[in-house]
Amino acid sequence: MKEIRLVIDTNVFIPCGDKSEEIIKSIREFGDKLPELAEYFDVTILLSTDVLNEYRCKIRPNLKDKGCHPLPKFHSDFVRNLDRICRLHKIHKKCKEVSVGLFKFHVIESSKLDKYEVKEFINDEDDEKFLRLALAVAKGQIVYILSVDSESLLKLRNDKDKYKKLCKRYDEAKNVAVLLPHEFIKKLEKMSQ
């Protein structure tokens, strides 16, 4: 099975609220189809302590406040298992991979992320952690960052000059692809044929 590695921006876990209908549809398509496609791929969700902390603080409160239910299958399973993933990480503290259903969750040790300085490439300080995480594991294999935030990660994808500078500073950036959730699903569908 081909390995697929994902870094998921927190906003992709909230398929409702003040997002456009197009973005909500993109998030829901991702959440509905990923479990089906995971049967053809070895899907690893990449995490760090900072990412887990943000997930714990932002996902559940936003889901409750905005009336996002019913959630797509992937989202529902993830939210249900988030505490378990966090507990296992706290016990081990080092890099740790946990399998939950069809997915693996790999928590990357913080020291591996510290060497990446990305402030000048990202407009949103909160999104630096996602880019640093992707860079830390992007040696030799593509890492997909999924986001719906056009002001930050997606903006980097569309700014060719900034992206070239990032690649010049960190060679592994050539293996980082930023996609909207539905773009990622279309890519997986093509790969599974």
Side-chain angles (χ1 to χ4, degrees), residues 94-156:
K94 299 278 182 192
C95 287
K96 177 68 179 167
E97 190 170 281
V98 179
S99 291
V100 179
L102 294 169
F103 304 97
K104 291 179 190 168
F105 297 90
H106 192 144
V107 182
I108 306 300
E109 192 177 334
S110 296
S111 64
K112 293 183 179 182
L113 286 69
D114 292 342
K115 72 177 189 176
Y116 297 100
E117 181 53 55
V118 297
K119 280 187 193 312
E120 70 184 89
F121 304 104
I122 296 291
N123 297 341
D124 183 348
E125 191 176 300
D126 286 341
D127 287 339
E128 290 176 22
K129 68 179 117 340
F130 299 108
L131 181 56
R132 289 179 30 237
L133 175 58
L135 290 169
V137 294
K139 295 169 182 82
Q141 186 179 355
I142 293 188
V143 174
Y144 299 97
I145 300 177
L146 304 185
S147 182
V148 296
D149 183 0
S150 60
E151 290 301 312
S152 189
L153 294 164
L154 290 171
K155 193 171 185 177
L156 174 63

Side-chain angles (χ1 to χ4, degrees), residues 13-19 24 28 59-72 75:
F13 284 103
I14 304 162
C16 57
D18 57 355
K19 298 175 175 84
I24 291 171
R28 287 194 170 275
I59 293 175
R60 283 195 185 112
N62 275 298
L63 292 175
K64 284 180 185 174
D65 291 349
K66 297 182 172 141
C68 296
H69 298 283
L71 290 173
H75 293 69

Side-chain angles (χ1 to χ4, degrees), residues 11-64:
N11 57 39
V12 174
F13 284 103
I14 304 162
C16 57
D18 57 355
K19 298 175 175 84
S20 71
E21 285 300 316
E22 184 180 325
I23 293 300
I24 291 171
K25 184 179 174 188
S26 177
I27 294 170
R28 287 194 170 275
E29 181 180 346
F30 165 73
D32 288 335
K33 291 186 176 182
L34 185 63
E36 297 166 24
L37 290 165
E39 294 179 23
Y40 302 98
F41 300 96
D42 185 8
V43 179
T44 302
I45 313 297
L46 300 164
L47 305 162
S48 68
T49 301
D50 288 343
V51 169
L52 280 171
N53 288 339
E54 181 168 307
Y55 285 174
R56 287 185 81 186
C57 291
K58 291 186 178 178
I59 293 175
R60 283 195 185 112
N62 275 298
L63 292 175
K64 284 180 185 174

Side-chain angles (χ1 to χ4, degrees), residues 6 26-38 41 146 179-192:
L6 291 176
S26 177
I27 294 170
R28 287 194 170 275
E29 181 180 346
F30 165 73
D32 288 335
K33 291 186 176 182
L34 185 63
E36 297 166 24
L37 290 165
F41 300 96
L146 304 185
L179 299 172
L180 287 162
H182 74 278
E183 292 172 338
F184 172 72
I185 290 300
K186 288 194 182 359
K187 184 175 274 300
L188 278 193
E189 288 172 337
K190 284 181 187 174
M191 291 167 64
S192 69

